[in-house]
Amino acid sequence: MSDATAWTDKLKRMALFAEIVDSGSISAAARRVGSTPSAVSQQLRLLETALGLVLLHRSTRRITLTEAGERYYPACAAMVAQARSADQALERLRDEPEGELRLAAPIGFGELLSTALEPLRRHPKLRLHLLLDDTPIDLIGERVDLALRVGRFTDSALVARRLGELQRQLCAAPRYLAERGWPRHPGELAGHDWLGLPPRSGAADSLHFQDAQGAREEVRMEPRLLASQVTALQAMAVAGWGLYVGMADDVRQPMAEGRLAPVLPDWKLEPAAVFAVTPRRDEQPAKVRHALQALQRHFKT
């Protein structure tokens, strides 16, 4: 028998000894642990043999601690109490959101999260740490509990749950369109300057358009200007650098102010899928489960 196995068996017998003392008899302890009195007595004898000391005086009606038992019991009881305390702490972690929730999302999702995660404010023991970056964050390396990703998702090392979709809008500054022309059909987008995020796969992105009659067009875009943050891309678009595909909610204000103009308003871009992504785990703590539920409810409304 290995030392580890021997210690495991001894710890179990120490816990059983404390249970006998707390229960007041071997038979009562046997009932509490779901065993038989003879099996409990045997485990007690094995513990006493290993210690070389008698811990209990047994009679047909009662048990009493020996001097050795009186010295040994407090440590055994404290060990059991610590184990129960550890279990209770994990139960709270499982059932009540607490601790730090590290959530990664694109920069433009700050306002969405402020609304979607409102239910989490009811849990005072929960701390929220938002990591906002348009470049995907390493969930494992950064100890991220939950991330929001937009667009295609192919990482098999992570678990993705589709939350919903966000409408996209092709736009550009009126100044740029006055200089380069206003496209009327997706086929006229060739030769235009594009602004975009660095492609994750190293390949050019494709845009899929559909008009009111159901006609579909695919356009390949190779950005002239790349930036790691959509806020920078939008600023460059307003400055007249080229065509920009933004989330409809993000570009609504600059379009209302005339700083950007919609391109191909009769054609709709395929919406962008939004995923909630977690490291591959069988069970998620309460903080992650509650955040997922809040996000799912937000996208369903």
Side-chain angles (χ1 to χ4, degrees):
M1 181 184 297
S2 68
D3 290 343
T5 302
W7 265 108
T8 300
D9 291 341
K10 187 173 184 180
L11 291 172
K12 291 178 181 177
R13 290 164 187 154
M14 291 170 66
L16 187 57
F17 165 62
E19 189 64 59
I20 294 170
V21 176
D22 292 341
S23 301
S25 70
I26 289 176
S27 58
R31 287 193 298 271
R32 291 179 67 171
V33 300
S35 186
T36 63
S38 60
V40 171
S41 293
Q42 181 184 13
Q43 293 299 311
L44 178 60
R45 285 195 297 272
L46 290 172
L47 179 60
E48 291 175 329
T49 299
L51 295 171
L53 293 166
V54 176
L55 299 174
L56 291 173
H57 292 305
R58 279 93 88 186
S59 67
T60 56
R61 293 188 176 181
R62 60 194 294 265
I63 60 171
T64 57
L65 287 165
T66 65
E67 181 181 0
E70 289 179 347
R71 294 189 180 188
Y72 199 53
Y73 168 74
C76 294
M79 179 193 73
V80 173
Q82 286 290 332
R84 286 174 177 163
S85 177
D87 276 352
Q88 290 168 357
L90 289 182
E91 288 173 2
R92 290 194 303 271
L93 184 65
R94 184 191 64 208
D95 300 328
E96 173 67 19
E98 64 178 21
E100 182 181 71
L101 174 66
R102 294 173 65 84
L103 194 155
I107 290 175
F109 275 55
E111 184 175 351
L112 180 151
L113 291 173
S114 70
T115 302
L117 299 181
E118 172 68 21
L120 299 185
R121 294 182 61 236
R122 296 194 294 267
H123 303 284
K125 294 182 180 180
L126 181 66
R127 303 186 307 277
L128 188 59
H129 186 165
L130 299 181
L131 297 91
L132 301 181
D133 198 317
D134 292 322
T135 302
I137 293 175
D138 176 6
L139 270 62
I140 305 300
E142 297 294 333
R143 299 183 295 108
V144 173
D145 299 297
L146 176 64
L148 295 184
R149 298 277 174 85
V150 180
R152 297 184 301 273
F153 185 82
T154 58
D155 192 339
S156 61
L158 303 172
V159 178
R161 300 165 181 81
R162 187 184 177 100
L163 294 175
E165 297 177 339
L166 293 176
Q167 189 60 49
R168 299 187 296 171
Q169 175 66 55
L170 179 62
C171 55
R175 168 189 169 187
Y176 171 84
L177 294 169
E179 294 173 354
R180 302 291 296 273
W182 292 73
R184 303 300 177 189
H185 186 275
E188 299 175 15
L189 295 174
H192 274 275
D193 295 334
W194 292 91
L195 315 179
L197 296 169
R200 299 173 198 173
S201 64
D205 287 329
S206 292
L207 297 177
H208 297 270
F209 292 88
Q210 181 175 335
D211 68 5
Q213 288 71 45
R216 296 177 180 272
E217 293 284 340
E218 180 180 353
V219 176
R220 300 279 287 177
M221 52 174 284
E222 295 186 8
R224 177 190 178 192
L225 185 149
L226 295 171
S228 61
Q229 295 183 354
V230 294
T231 50
L233 289 175
Q234 183 170 304
M236 298 301 283
V238 169
W241 278 76
L243 303 179
Y244 167 58
V245 179
M247 297 302 166
D249 288 342
D250 293 339
V251 299
R252 185 172 290 114
Q253 184 66 26
M255 285 199 302
E257 295 170 353
R259 293 183 292 132
L260 290 175
V263 177
L264 300 178
D266 296 330
W267 292 78
K268 286 188 176 181
L269 274 172
E270 182 181 46
V274 182
F275 295 91
V277 182
T278 57
R280 187 169 291 279
R281 299 173 185 149
D282 294 332
E283 295 292 336
Q284 295 291 348
K287 61 183 180 181
V288 175
R289 295 201 315 274
H290 281 249
L292 280 171
Q293 291 167 4
L295 289 166
Q296 288 166 341
R297 284 194 296 268
H298 177 82
F299 276 90
K300 285 181 180 178
T301 57

